[in-house]
Amino acid sequence: IWLKSTTRVLFQAQDNDLLVLPPLPISIEEARAADKSIHGHNNLLRTFLGFVHDQYALRVMREQNQGSAIITIQQTIPDHMHNIAILDASYNIRRVMQYDHTIKAMPMAANIKDHSDVTIHIANAKTGRKSIFAGLQSGGDDKLFHETSELAAKHCRNGRNVLVFTFKDTGSWRPISRLRELIRHYLDGVDPDMLSTGGSVNFLTWGYETALNKFSHCDVVIFAGLLTLPHAAVAGRIFAHARDINLELSTEELNEAVQSERVHSLYQALSRGSCRVMENGKARKMDAYVFSFDHLALRDTLKMAMPGVNFVDYQGRHLKTTTTKKEQCKKLFHSHLSSFNGNKLSTKKLYELEPGASTDTKNDALNELLDETLTFTWEKRDRSLLRIGTE
């Protein structure tokens, strides 16, 4: 009966509502035991029961694309700790930390670390978790995984140490196992650990981008998939930093925070490689390969986190890298909108920048930009583009 009434409250709750739930009719110990007997080791409901019993504030977040979520926060650092030093090299690009007004940035030199010996090879590709595992399931992972594996094998054969980032195993799908198999294929059946060149291939999964420092010998970092946190997870971080579960958060603010956390994770992952070591003010030489649908936006923000870093348009063997009319339009539109100071622009004015492309090509280019790179900043209204959050 309690579960039925609670379910009714959940489904009736609107976006950003705080849940008002009936108290548990039995003890928390009895409730957990009952749940365990029904669901075994799946503890999702058990966690929810604990939140209800401990009277946590629970906020509903409705999200059309990613599904609904319940958000709660808990303070883990006690208030009596007043002087804490936070060492975060990507603080200047992280929006979530700016919601904590107790954090003060210390004045430092403009460019503490020079990244002019670091080159990031960048290309367009769909590399989200959903795309990766859909590809593994259908067998369509070949393009991205073959590109990554052939690159890793080439650099390993040349005596370089390679670090490959990908996603953790999910269900029966094993990204690292698949990559190992393909790398052996491009090494003519030889395991990379058995090569006599001195090169090596190492793997890390997302979640370890801030945890391990033992791969600083790797002067090549390749990304077979990039991490993007769900909106609800980032919203929870914002509420926690602000210490306010009721904080009003606009769509624009949340989108910007999601993108900044994405770049933060990428920057931290890049810093697992040799560029994390600084010698005479310069990061050690390193080559990185970043494939992403929003590579233009990533490039802009990484420049802030890695002063002096070099970017090279990557021409792959397996990924589609030829520049079409649509890609030309996307680059031109992105460049113009990035430097545009106004809040509204007619699509007619934008399309006049590329007279050599058809209207259909321009429409397709703009729609893809709005779905990918410009998701967080612009939206289309009738025949105009409107900057998000300005209306």
Side-chain angles (χ1 to χ4, degrees):
I1 293 172
W2 181 85
L3 285 171
K4 285 182 178 179
S5 62
T6 298
T7 302
R8 190 161 51 248
V9 172
L10 289 175
F11 279 96
Q12 291 175 349
Q14 301 300 309
D15 188 32
N16 296 320
D17 280 355
L18 287 184
L19 294 175
V20 180
L21 299 171
L24 289 173
I26 55 179
S27 71
I28 185 62
E29 291 78 18
E30 290 173 312
R32 285 170 174 159
D35 175 50
K36 186 175 182 180
S37 69
I38 299 169
H39 298 113
H41 294 292
N42 185 345
N43 63 357
L44 187 58
L45 177 56
R46 230 161 300 156
T47 301
F48 179 71
L49 292 170
F51 290 151
V52 175
H53 175 263
D54 294 332
Q55 297 183 330
Y56 276 72
L58 302 172
R59 178 172 172 173
V60 175
M61 182 174 176
R62 301 288 187 193
E63 218 288 332
Q64 185 174 1
N65 295 325
Q66 298 177 340
S68 300
I70 298 171
I71 299 174
T72 189
I73 58 176
Q74 178 186 21
Q75 182 176 328
T76 55
I77 298 176
D79 283 327
H80 67 260
M81 297 182 67
H82 297 298
N83 298 306
I84 303 171
I86 303 172
L87 307 180
D88 188 348
S90 50
Y91 170 76
N92 66 323
I93 61 172
R94 296 189 69 187
R95 295 297 181 93
V96 294
M97 296 183 73
Q98 297 173 15
Y99 289 89
D100 189 336
H101 299 298
T102 68
I103 298 177
K104 307 298 181 185
M106 298 298 292
M108 292 186 175
N111 292 330
I112 297 176
K113 190 175 182 180
D114 177 8
H115 292 80
S116 57
D117 285 340
V118 178
T119 300
I120 299 179
H121 308 259
I122 204 158
N124 182 44
K126 292 183 177 180
T127 52
R129 186 195 302 271
K130 186 183 292 186
S131 298
I132 295 294
F133 285 104
L136 286 170
Q137 186 173 5
S138 66
D141 64 84
D142 285 351
K143 290 182 180 179
L144 176 64
F145 273 36
H146 274 275
E147 196 73 54
T148 299
S149 300
E150 187 170 10
L151 270 172
K154 181 187 75 172
H155 285 301
C156 182
R157 189 182 286 113
N158 291 335
R160 302 183 71 179
N161 296 304
V162 181
L163 176 61
V164 178
F165 260 90
T166 191
F167 293 106
K168 295 177 181 176
D169 296 345
T170 296
S172 59
W173 308 113
R174 303 284 186 269
I176 291 179
S177 297
R178 175 62 173 153
L179 287 166
R180 286 186 186 277
E181 176 188 344
L182 288 172
I183 290 170
R184 282 195 297 270
H185 165 73
Y186 285 107
L187 289 174
D188 300 322
V190 178
D191 192 280
D193 296 332
M194 303 299 291
L195 283 178
S196 59
T197 60
S200 65
V201 179
N202 309 270
F203 296 91
L204 274 181
T205 55
W206 291 106
Y208 288 100
E209 68 272 16
T210 59
L212 296 175
N213 299 329
K214 65 179 183 179
F215 295 104
S216 60
H217 64 289
C218 295
D219 57 349
V220 177
V221 181
I222 309 173
F223 292 90
L226 293 184
L227 178 67
T228 303
L229 293 175
H231 280 56
V234 176
R237 292 183 180 187
I238 292 174
F239 301 150
H241 274 289
R243 299 191 187 191
D244 184 4
I245 193 81
N246 290 302
L247 180 72
E248 291 188 12
L249 194 63
S250 70
T251 301
E252 181 188 27
E253 290 172 322
L254 181 54
N255 286 338
E256 288 177 350
V258 169
Q259 178 68 354
S260 75
E261 288 298 277
R262 174 177 165 83
V263 183
H264 155 69
S265 295
L266 174 58
Y267 168 66
Q268 292 292 339
L270 287 164
S271 298
R272 295 315 96 196
S274 61
C275 76
R276 74 171 288 101
V277 180
M278 184 168 65
E279 297 172 338
N280 299 320
K282 295 190 73 172
R284 276 187 184 168
K285 184 173 180 173
M286 190 179 88
D287 285 286
Y289 296 83
V290 177
F291 310 121
S292 175
F293 68 88
D294 62 344
H295 60 95
L296 295 172
L298 291 178
R299 183 188 311 221
D300 293 342
T301 312
L302 280 174
K303 286 179 181 178
M304 297 172 56
M306 306 174 72
V309 68
N310 303 291
F311 289 95
V312 175
D313 289 331
Y314 175 72
Q315 299 295 320
R317 276 172 39 85
H318 303 278
L319 295 175
K320 181 182 177 182
T321 55
T322 54
T323 302
T324 62
K325 277 287 185 183
K326 183 169 67 176
E327 288 296 321
Q328 291 176 3
C329 288
K330 287 171 70 172
K331 285 188 177 182
L332 191 61
F333 294 167
H334 176 268
S335 176
H336 182 74
L337 290 169
S338 296
S339 59
F340 185 68
N341 293 323
N343 295 322
K344 188 175 182 179
L345 178 68
S346 71
T347 54
K348 180 180 179 181
K349 288 287 185 183
L350 187 68
Y351 288 177
E352 288 174 355
L353 297 172
E354 181 51 272
S358 68
T359 302
D360 287 343
T361 298
K362 296 172 185 177
N363 285 333
D364 289 343
L366 179 59
N367 289 334
E368 287 189 14
L369 275 177
L370 292 171
D371 286 340
E372 300 167 356
T373 312
L374 303 179
T375 303
F376 307 132
T377 50
W378 293 91
E379 62 181 338
K380 192 175 181 181
R381 297 278 187 87
D382 298 325
R383 297 181 181 179
S384 296
L385 289 174
L386 185 69
R387 195 183 296 274
I388 293 174
T390 58
E391 190 178 55

